[in-house]
Amino acid sequence: MTENTLTPPPGRREEPPELPEVISLLPLRNSVLFPGSIIPIDVGRPKSVKLIEEAIANERPIIGIVTQREARVEEPTEADLHAVGCAARILKVIKLAKDNYSVILQGVMRISIERVVTSEPFLKARVTELPDVEGEDVEAVALVQSIKETAKRLIALVPELPREAAALLDSVSDPSQVADLVISNLDIEAGEKQEVLAANNVRERLRKVLMLLTRQLEILKVRERINSQVQEEMGHSQREYVLRQQLKAIKGELGEIDDESGDIEEFQKKIVDAKMPEEAEKVARKQLDRLKAMQPSSAEYTVTRTYLEWLVDLPWSISSEDQLDIATVRTVLNEDHYDLEKVKKRILEYMAVLKLNASKKGPILCLLGPPGVGKTSLGKSIARAIGRKFVRISLGGVRDEAEIRGHRRTYVGSLPGRIIQGIKRAGTNNPVMMLDEIDKLGHDFRGDPGSALLEVLDPEQNWSFSDHYLEVPFDLSRVMFIATSNYLDPIPPALKDRLEILRLPGYTRQESLAIAKRFLLPKQISEHGLEKTDLKVSFTDDALLEMIDSYTHEAGVRNLEREISSVIRGIAVKVVEGEVKDEVVITKDVIPEYLGPQKYLPEVAERTAEPGVATGLAWTPVGGEIMFVEATQMPGKGGLMLTGQLGDVMKESAQAAMSYVKSHLGPLGIEKSAIENIDIHVHVPAGGIPKDGPSAGVAMFAAITSLLTGTCVRPDVAMTGEITLRGLVLPVGGIKEKMLAAHRAGIKRVILPERNQKDVVDVPEEIRQDMTILCVKNVHDVAEHVFERPVIPADATPEVASTEGARGEPPATAAT
């Protein structure tokens, strides 16, 4: 309903004036006049102004009001006007300005335009009255009642309508007048009103009015419901705002101000103090501007705030001062670790270069060695020596590259990767960061974190490392990365290429003894609380050596520390029970009392006491080991059987050794008939452990030759080397680890390939002095040194692919 129409007081309609045959037409753009309605209009078009002035001058109060089909037409013609209009009486004319009038019109009757007579100076047309048809039956009465009820409900939803409108509606009973009264006050399109005006059938007109009225009522109901929801939400927000303001006032009174404005100011200060690079600072300020415009209750507010906290808390410009005194660094390294000279030398080199060139990028070291040799603790020692913060990141089992590079902020609960988290924990941009167990990285369909480390561990790229969460580059070039690994094979080649490998092969008996006395014993005594008592605890060297030889079997000292801890716990029990008071000396004889019977017994002599057994040397991820190769014979047809869970390479080594023996029966002093009717079974004990590699070829040859010749292998000799079908002995790896294992097992003589002689330099001096090291070129040389008696006749010369052997030069070189 609208207020732009005026309706005369209820009562009996005035008698309509006589309708002239030709009347002047006043076109309206967006309005429709109905009989009985009063509307004010503004007249400004030239022709319309002339029409009003002529009507006033000639006292012609009746004019025709017709609605235009298109409101934008400035000078309408007959085709631009609807055929049905309303004759109107001019009630009042007010001149607003020159050529501008306000005219109040009252609708009188419907008229039908027959034809336009003239268009100058304004439109004149021949018209006829359009009377009502059928307006007094029962259906019309029912429609009138429905219209009145619906109109009253609509009036109740529009507060701006006067309450008297309902009373006015009740006072009208004529169906035609009810339809005209309601439709003239509805806020609907002019085209829909024109349809109602053109309907001279009263029932049809009432139906159209009821339909339009019902539609308008539904629209108002929906609008009212929407307004109620909006008001309710606004009320909730206003209530929350008031409560927050009250909470802020209360906190202010208590001195616990923690409002958002304080956070914004704090972030602004932190951004300045962080001294970020220009790109990072630009991002931080942009996020801060977003934070200012957000409601603290929104979820995005928390996400943006957390991101800003990460940005401002990172040590963009905070560096720890390096300890560049080489003597001090050397002293600290020696205090914390025994031996490991290669690693210490590399650290001292780095510090010397850093002293000469402060902009030197951090090295990417990889400490490679068996468990328990002190790789992880060495990282802490390096950090302490050079005065940097230490951060350890465990990579064992990590299989998602997002652990390295972080998750994007679109994910719920996203965080930066472990590298950035480690930098934040350190609080400096140049810590010593240890990537522990880099060889244990996962690699499957869920991701490849090893590839994500490529950028981190490349000094040419990591100056602009971009974490997925931060999305701004962070300089990692000053970080000193130290990776640890038990073996190299699982590390991807591209990642391995970025690492500087430093090998930690393991400890000798004397080194283990020194470590136990200098580090392990004081540590365990302190941890078990014995230093707080007056009791003096000491271990003899024989006791410690007995624990090393008979209770541990390792390259490192981790199990040795456990055994020492077991002894210390036994002493603690005696202290608590009052059995000992002043001093306890642990000797070799009392070790079984604390640790039980010996776990490892020397068995080389027993295992090689009969033909067909040879002692080989093997490399494993946990250090070197001795390995027995056993051969036996049985009736057959010259076949070869291999057992012991051997890999393909080791099986091929056994077949190569067997083929060489069969092809050189004469030179080896073996009768052909002795091998034709037998099968040979080669077995490597510890069958539950997978074994592979070419370095057991020499031991395979020695075991088969020993079996067929009936000659025992010397019990104090162990051997390693790859064998070819021509009898050459090729070099192998892991020489230092293998020799350490041989020394632990009591081996006095070691057979090595000649081309491995250069690797003997890495073996500790005490071992080289305690063992005879023989370097051989071919299996002829091996046979001369491993058997208890010669197996090759003095006049026999095996055919081997070696020109030196053919000339009769010395077959072996001893390095002691």
Side-chain angles (χ1 to χ4, degrees):
M1 306 285 279
T2 62
E3 295 181 306
N4 62 346
T5 60
L6 301 174
T7 304
R12 189 173 178 181
R13 269 192 186 177
E14 299 179 13
E15 289 296 327
E18 183 180 350
L19 181 66
E21 185 178 351
V22 177
I23 63 174
S24 304
L25 296 182
L26 179 65
L28 298 184
R29 295 179 188 269
N30 291 309
S31 299
V32 179
L33 180 64
F34 287 88
S37 298
I38 298 175
I39 62 170
I41 63 171
D42 290 335
V43 176
R45 287 189 283 190
K47 288 187 176 183
S48 299
V49 170
K50 290 179 182 179
L51 186 151
I52 295 299
E53 290 176 346
E54 195 271 343
I56 296 172
N58 298 328
E59 295 183 356
R60 294 179 181 174
I62 300 297
I63 61 174
I65 303 299
V66 188
T67 304
Q68 294 180 198
R69 297 182 185 274
E70 293 291 339
R72 64 176 178 270
V73 177
E74 190 64 27
E75 293 188 4
T77 62
E78 182 179 1
D80 298 322
L81 302 176
H82 287 286
V84 177
C86 183
R89 180 187 291 114
I90 299 176
L91 298 182
K92 190 173 184 180
V93 178
I94 302 173
K95 188 171 184 178
L96 301 177
K98 183 180 180 181
D99 298 333
N100 196 354
Y101 292 93
S102 177
V103 181
I104 298 177
L105 302 173
Q106 181 183 20
V108 177
M109 67 184 71
R110 284 176 171 77
I111 59 175
S112 176
I113 300 173
E114 300 296 332
R115 63 184 178 87
V116 175
V117 176
T118 181
S119 58
E120 295 297 337
F122 42 79
L123 291 173
K124 291 184 179 180
R126 189 179 298 278
V127 299
T128 58
E129 182 180 357
L130 194 66
D132 294 335
V133 179
E134 302 179 7
E136 296 294 340
D137 57 2
V138 176
E139 183 181 357
V141 174
L143 288 170
V144 168
Q145 291 179 354
S146 296
I147 289 173
K148 288 185 176 181
E149 292 174 1
T150 306
K152 289 178 181 178
R153 292 204 299 271
L154 187 142
I155 291 170
L157 293 176
V158 183
E160 57 268 21
L161 286 178
R163 298 299 96 186
E164 294 80 7
L168 174 63
L169 194 61
D170 287 334
S171 64
V172 180
S173 58
D174 181 74
S176 178
Q177 292 184 26
V178 170
D180 291 343
L181 173 63
V182 172
I183 194 65
S184 63
N185 288 280
L186 274 183
D187 186 13
I188 59 176
E189 296 289 335
E192 294 175 329
K193 287 188 175 183
Q194 180 64 37
E195 292 180 5
V196 175
L197 180 68
N200 62 332
N201 188 304
V202 176
R203 285 202 301 273
E204 181 183 350
R205 192 188 311 162
L206 289 170
R207 291 193 195 96
K208 288 184 177 182
V209 171
L210 181 59
M211 180 191 71
L212 294 171
L213 186 63
T214 304
R215 187 188 70 183
Q216 192 71 7
L217 178 63
E218 291 301 319
I219 292 174
L220 288 176
K221 284 182 179 179
V222 172
R223 189 177 72 179
E224 185 71 16
R225 186 166 64 249
I226 293 174
N227 289 338
S228 299
Q229 292 175 354
V230 171
Q231 291 294 333
E232 183 178 349
E233 291 175 4
M234 289 183 61
H236 178 74
S237 299
Q238 290 173 350
R239 178 173 176 273
E240 183 178 349
Y241 174 77
V242 171
L243 291 176
R244 287 188 180 279
Q245 292 300 315
Q246 291 176 351
L247 181 61
K248 183 198 276 189
I250 293 171
K251 285 187 175 182
E253 292 293 327
L254 294 175
E256 300 176 356
I257 298 177
D258 187 23
D259 56 347
E260 289 73 29
S261 61
D263 289 344
I264 300 299
E265 293 174 1
E266 184 179 354
F267 275 127
Q268 289 175 337
K269 183 177 182 299
K270 284 184 176 181
I271 290 174
V272 174
D273 295 342
K275 298 179 181 178
M276 305 177 185
E278 182 179 352
E279 182 178 352
E281 184 174 351
K282 182 178 179 182
V283 172
R285 294 195 179 280
K286 181 178 179 181
Q287 294 297 322
L288 183 61
D289 292 340
R290 289 187 61 201
L291 193 70
K292 291 177 183 177
M294 291 182 188
Q295 286 291 333
S297 58
S298 68
E300 188 67 19
Y301 182 90
T302 305
V303 173
T304 306
R305 179 192 171 101
T306 304
Y307 176 68
L308 267 176
E309 287 175 349
W310 273 101
L311 277 182
V312 300
D313 289 345
L314 284 176
W316 298 93
S317 58
I318 303 175
S319 303
S320 57
E321 187 175 351
D322 290 329
Q323 169 59 260
L324 298 179
D325 185 4
I326 303 300
T328 304
V329 174
R330 179 183 287 111
T331 301
V332 173
L333 290 175
N334 289 333
E335 284 177 357
D336 290 350
H337 285 83
Y338 181 81
D339 193 37
L340 304 179
E341 295 302 328
K342 275 191 176 182
V343 181
K344 295 177 182 177
K345 177 174 175 288
R346 181 64 183 85
I347 301 304
L348 292 176
E349 291 171 352
Y350 170 66
M351 298 313 299
V353 172
L354 196 64
K355 190 170 185 177
L356 298 175
N357 180 14
S359 62
K360 173 66 177 173
K361 296 178 180 178
I364 314 294
L365 305 179
C366 179
L367 306 180
L368 176 68
V373 295
K375 299 186 296 298
T376 303
S377 60
L378 187 59
K380 296 180 182 178
S381 179
I382 292 171
R384 188 170 80 90
I386 64 179
R388 293 191 182 185
K389 298 288 186 180
F390 176 76
V391 179
R392 175 181 170 272
I393 298 175
S394 177
L395 298 179
V398 173
R399 56 172 56 90
D400 185 0
E401 63 267 18
E403 293 283 340
I404 307 298
R405 300 188 67 94
H407 297 81
R408 299 196 181 277
R409 279 179 291 147
T410 52
Y411 295 103
V412 176
S414 57
L415 284 174
R418 297 193 181 193
I419 302 298
I420 294 298
Q421 290 184 34
I423 293 290
K424 182 183 177 183
R425 287 201 308 272
T428 63
N429 60 11
N430 63 338
V432 173
M433 183 170 290
M434 172 154 282
L435 305 176
D436 218 1
E437 309 291 354
I438 197 171
D439 55 326
K440 309 300 190 303
L441 281 171
H443 180 197
D444 55 20
F445 66 94
R446 286 167 287 190
D448 183 10
S451 298
L453 279 174
L454 294 179
E455 182 185 2
V456 176
L457 299 182
D458 190 341
E460 301 301 324
Q461 300 180 29
N462 62 12
W463 61 272
S464 61
F465 172 71
S466 180
D467 187 274
H468 286 161
Y469 181 83
L470 295 182
E471 293 181 333
V472 292
F474 190 92
D475 186 3
L476 297 178
S477 62
R478 302 190 62 192
V479 178
M480 185 176 185
F481 289 101
I482 300 178
T484 69
S485 176
N486 293 132
Y487 48 105
L488 283 178
D489 290 346
I491 303 177
L495 184 58
K496 192 186 307 179
D497 183 62
R498 286 162 167 78
L499 302 174
E500 181 180 343
I501 307 298
L502 297 177
R503 297 180 182 272
L504 285 68
Y507 299 115
T508 64
R509 293 173 73 243
Q510 294 303 318
E511 288 172 343
S512 297
L513 175 63
I515 293 171
K517 292 168 67 176
R518 289 178 54 179
F519 301 103
L520 304 183
L521 272 175
K523 176 184 175 183
Q524 293 302 319
I525 290 173
S526 173
E527 288 184 355
H528 289 80
L530 294 183
E531 68 174 4
K532 298 179 182 178
T533 65
D534 296 330
L535 182 68
K536 182 180 180 182
V537 180
S538 61
F539 284 64
T540 65
D541 289 357
D542 288 342
L544 291 173
L545 288 174
E546 173 68 11
M547 296 168 67
I548 293 169
D549 294 336
S550 301
Y551 290 89
T552 64
H553 190 67
E554 60 176 348
V557 293
R558 187 170 290 153
N559 286 328
L560 177 59
E561 184 175 11
R562 292 193 184 103
E563 300 300 336
I564 291 174
S565 176
S566 297
V567 176
I568 297 296
R569 289 197 300 271
I571 296 173
V573 172
K574 293 185 177 182
V575 171
V576 173
E577 292 179 347
E579 295 183 21
V580 293
K581 294 182 180 179
D582 299 326
E583 183 178 2
V584 175
V585 179
I586 302 299
T587 62
K588 177 180 178 180
D589 298 333
V590 301
I591 290 296
E593 178 185 341
Y594 293 96
L595 301 181
Q598 294 179 344
K599 297 179 181 178
Y600 304 99
L601 299 173
E603 57 177 348
V604 176
E606 297 176 5
R607 297 287 288 270
T608 58
E610 58 182 274
V613 182
T615 306
L617 295 174
W619 179 91
T620 69
V622 295
E625 287 185 355
I626 63 169
M627 176 180 65
F628 296 102
V629 178
E630 300 178 351
T632 188
Q633 62 183 16
M634 63 200 80
K637 296 181 180 181
L640 177 66
M641 182 187 304
L642 302 171
T643 57
Q645 200 169 346
L646 308 183
D648 291 339
V649 177
M650 187 172 280
K651 289 179 181 178
E652 292 168 0
S653 296
Q655 291 167 353
M658 186 66 188
S659 297
Y660 181 83
V661 171
K662 284 184 176 182
S663 62
H664 295 80
L665 294 177
L668 291 175
I670 303 171
E671 296 292 335
K672 183 177 180 181
S673 59
I675 197 171
E676 287 180 344
N677 300 319
I678 64 169
D679 286 343
I680 294 180
H681 181 177
V682 176
H683 177 68
V684 182
I689 301 174
K691 295 170 279 290
D692 201 3
S695 61
V698 170
M700 298 279 190
F701 164 78
I704 295 173
T705 304
S706 171
L707 174 70
L708 296 177
T709 60
T711 305
C712 293
V713 175
R714 293 179 54 161
D716 62 344
V717 68
M719 64 205 78
T720 185
E722 182 179 357
I723 190 174
T724 71
L725 289 176
R726 295 179 178 272
L728 294 179
V729 178
L730 302 183
V732 293
I735 296 299
K736 183 177 180 181
E737 291 88 343
K738 292 175 179 178
M739 293 191 65
L740 291 176
H743 188 261
R744 286 195 298 269
I747 299 294
K748 297 301 182 182
R749 176 178 290 202
V750 175
I751 306 296
L752 300 178
E754 185 183 49
R755 287 165 61 184
N756 282 123
Q757 185 173 357
K758 60 181 176 18
D759 300 316
V760 177
V761 179
D762 296 332
V763 179
E765 179 68 23
E766 61 179 274
I767 292 181
R768 298 205 301 264
Q769 292 178 354
D770 200 28
M771 301 173 68
T772 301
I773 304 171
L774 300 170
C775 296
V776 299
K777 294 181 180 179
N778 51 58
V779 294
H780 184 197
D781 303 338
V782 174
E784 288 187 2
H785 297 290
V786 301
F787 295 111
E788 292 183 341
R789 61 179 176 82
V791 297
I792 300 178
D795 58 346
T797 303
E799 298 176 4
V800 295
S802 172
T803 57
E804 293 82 0
R807 291 197 301 266
E809 294 185 6
T813 302
T816 59

